[in-house]
Amino acid sequence: DDMMAKPLLTLCKLLFEKTLEKVDRLLVVSNYAKKCYEKYIDAKKITVLTPGVDTELFSPPNNLIERSRSREILAVGFLTRRKGFDFLISAMPYILRSLPEVKLRIIGIGPEKLRLQRLARRLGVAENVIFQGFVPRYNLPHFYKKSAILCLPALSETWVVLLEAMACGVPVITTSIGSATEFVKNGKNGFLVRYPPNPEEIAEVILNCLLNEDLLLKMSIHARKTAEKYDWRLFAEKLWHIYNYFT
């Protein structure tokens, strides 16, 4: 209850700060996270090390030109409110007015599934929204490769799905928040939309992509190049050097 919550939070904060006092090196996933931790620890002790992506498993299709003509939007993640799937579904009526053949495929399971399905029915877009359910990680490249774009208007930090999509040469659309702002560049490998997300803006950006094959193709190439900078092997090498420095 509320009477217990405040003392518990105070204790957690104290333990958190005491733990940070003892670290030799703190690894964080982004410069955004680094700035947050600089309130508690000397910046010189913080190293940014963004988790990588398997660029062999997640690779582009053989024909990027053909894929740039796809009319499928992909969204991947655990179905919770913070992932922002409701904003994307709410963008579909605007998209379908211009491109009635567009499909939105949502991969994932979670507590918000029924609410999201009801939202799709209420908006009259249920036939264009596919709830794929759970897909094993090794099967995800199949769905990335046939999608024109990945859209994830999340309300909090996310990067793994974005990097997986980009490794497959898929341009990404996501919220301008957290580490995504560090590697998603407007018009180059994807687009950032405002936080909090707005369905009409999401629809406008998606239509801009789908109606411009040349733009999609250019962004596909740059998306792959971006992902290659975050290859797991490079991540492992950097982590190894950091570990050796302190042993």
Side-chain angles (χ1 to χ4, degrees), residues 9-206:
L9 286 172
T10 302
L11 176 61
C12 289
K13 184 175 184 294
L14 178 63
L15 292 173
F16 171 75
E17 291 175 352
K18 288 293 183 183
T19 300
L20 288 179
E21 287 175 4
K22 297 181 178 180
V23 302
D24 294 313
R25 178 69 60 183
L26 179 66
L27 304 182
V28 296
V29 299
S30 65
N31 287 306
Y32 172 80
K34 182 175 184 287
K35 289 179 182 178
C36 293
Y37 278 101
E38 285 175 356
K39 302 172 187 175
Y40 307 99
I41 185 174
D42 185 349
K44 294 178 182 178
K45 288 187 174 183
I46 306 174
T47 297
V48 177
L49 189 62
T50 303
V53 61
D54 185 341
T55 57
E56 291 185 356
L57 174 62
F58 296 95
S59 59
N62 294 328
N63 193 332
L64 282 176
I65 296 176
E66 182 179 336
R67 205 268 301 281
S68 67
R69 301 182 183 125
S70 170
R71 287 293 182 260
E72 183 163 302
I73 306 163
L74 185 64
V76 180
F78 192 53
L79 305 186
T80 59
R81 285 184 183 270
R82 74 181 186 89
K83 292 295 185 181
F85 292 112
D86 48 345
F87 298 105
L88 181 51
I89 292 172
S90 297
M92 285 298 286
Y94 302 104
I95 295 169
L96 295 175
R97 288 174 193 170
S98 297
L99 293 174
E101 71 274 22
V102 168
K103 301 288 184 183
L104 166 60
R105 187 182 303 274
I106 299 175
I107 293 177
I109 57 175
E112 289 292 295
K113 182 178 179 179
L114 291 178
R115 187 182 72 85
L116 293 172
Q117 288 177 324
R118 286 195 296 268
L119 175 63
R121 288 195 294 270
R122 180 166 59 81
L123 294 175
V125 298
E127 291 186 4
N128 295 78
V129 179
I130 304 162
F131 288 87
Q132 188 70 36
F134 171 76
V135 171
R137 188 167 180 271
Y138 58 82
N139 281 342
L140 283 175
H142 166 75
F143 293 98
Y144 284 126
K145 289 180 181 182
K146 69 176 188 175
S147 303
I149 50 178
L150 176 115
C151 186
L152 194 61
L155 299 174
S156 62
E157 182 79 78
T158 181
W159 66 85
V160 175
V161 170
L162 300 179
L163 287 176
E164 288 177 350
M166 294 171 91
C168 292
V170 181
V172 299
I173 298 170
T174 191
T175 323
S176 181
I177 185 173
S179 61
T181 61
E182 296 173 24
F183 59 85
V184 179
K185 304 302 178 185
N186 283 328
K188 186 171 183 180
N189 54 20
F191 284 96
L192 294 167
V193 295
R194 287 173 295 176
Y195 176 90
N198 175 282
E200 289 189 51
E201 182 191 6
I202 293 169
E204 182 181 346
V205 174
I206 288 174

